Amino acid sequence: ADGRVSMAITRFRLSDSLRQALAAGVTAVTPSYRLAASVLEAYGSAAGTKSWREPNVQPVDVWISDCWNALATRGLAPFVELEILESALEKALWLEAIEATRNQHPLIDASAMAQIAARAFQDLNRWSQDATVQSLEDYRHSEDISLFRQWREHFLARCEELGRITLVEATTLLAAHTDEAIAELIGPVLLLNFYQPPPNYQQLFDALDAYLSLIHISE
């Protein structure tokens, strides 16, 4: 054995309605990478031929990033003015923020804490649009929260310097700026198995649904 661990894709049952929508060229958006891979595998298995045109099936985060980049290439604001952070740079900026407090907190595992801080930032922004919640303003007197707030301020300042934005922030901005023209550039879209999406995803879906009449399928 070469030491690699294989991960089997869960068999997905492809309904006729989903297959027909994919064949018609609709972009299918899924909550996870695994589901997107499973749908593609099921579509290929059902094709009945040695070759077929692969449908457009994307995990939601990849889809949002692609939408942002497509709008940026057309010179549309604010998309052209801000670039979504790559995951490696995002982690590096959180690590930089944590290292900036190294003298006061020498025992912190900076690499592990960078991942925790990044996830906390994403969750706070994903589940609330309230700036005081996102910054944990009500808990600022806690020593741990105060430290996180320092890291957050450092991270956001560096993002601004670099003209970068996190994916979770991009989702909120995309929702806020969606109009008929933008929706037409993005659509048509099918949402697969989104049962209880976070508020920022739902905000984007609602903004697009006003113009596209999004297709919702649960399987």
Side-chain angles (χ1 to χ4, degrees):
D2 60 6
R4 290 178 297 181
V5 177
S6 62
M7 184 176 293
I9 296 174
T10 302
R11 179 68 64 178
F12 182 83
R13 298 177 65 87
L14 193 72
S15 68
D16 288 341
S17 59
L18 178 56
R19 179 180 56 78
Q20 291 168 6
L22 294 175
V26 171
T27 297
V29 180
T30 69
S32 68
Y33 286 79
R34 179 179 289 276
L35 180 56
S38 296
V39 172
L40 287 171
E41 189 274 341
Y43 188 90
S45 296
T49 60
K50 292 184 179 180
S51 63
W52 59 90
R53 184 175 181 178
E54 187 171 83
N56 190 11
V57 182
Q58 295 183 307
V60 61
D61 288 348
V62 173
W63 170 69
I64 291 170
S65 182
D66 283 354
C67 289
W68 187 278
N69 292 334
L71 295 170
T73 60
R74 288 170 169 79
L76 300 176
F79 316 103
V80 72
E81 300 158 357
L82 297 166
E83 185 176 343
I84 295 178
L85 272 175
E86 309 87 6
S87 58
L89 179 56
E90 184 175 6
K91 181 177 180 180
L93 293 181
W94 280 110
L95 187 60
E96 178 185 296
I98 293 166
E99 290 288 357
T101 62
R102 172 65 71 186
N103 290 339
Q104 302 99 304
H105 303 277
L107 300 181
I108 287 178
D109 182 336
S111 180
M113 190 56 67
Q115 295 183 35
I116 294 171
R119 180 59 183 271
F121 177 89
Q122 292 165 8
D123 286 347
L124 287 165
N125 282 269
R126 183 173 287 123
W127 290 97
S128 178
Q129 302 299 312
D130 188 332
T132 62
V133 173
Q134 294 173 358
S135 65
L136 297 174
E137 175 70 22
D138 292 343
Y139 304 93
R140 64 188 182 280
H141 298 302
S142 165
E143 182 178 353
D144 290 343
I145 298 301
S146 177
L147 183 58
F148 171 75
R149 282 164 55 84
Q150 288 183 55
W151 296 338
R152 178 179 180 275
E153 289 174 9
H154 183 111
F155 173 77
L156 290 174
R158 291 287 286 123
C159 286
E160 186 174 0
E161 288 176 11
L162 297 170
R164 299 293 203 278
I165 189 171
T166 64
L167 182 64
V168 69
E169 293 172 299
T171 303
T172 299
L173 268 180
L174 179 56
H177 287 83
T178 291
D179 56 18
E180 185 174 4
I182 286 176
E184 185 176 346
L185 289 170
I186 291 175
V189 176
L190 180 154
L191 301 178
L192 178 62
N193 289 3
F194 280 90
Y195 299 111
Q196 292 182 313
N200 73 325
Y201 286 154
Q202 189 62 58
Q203 182 184 11
L204 175 57
F205 298 157
D206 290 344
L208 289 171
D209 199 35
Y211 304 103
L212 292 179
S213 296
L214 298 180
I215 303 168
H216 295 263
I217 292 182
S218 298
E219 308 225 334

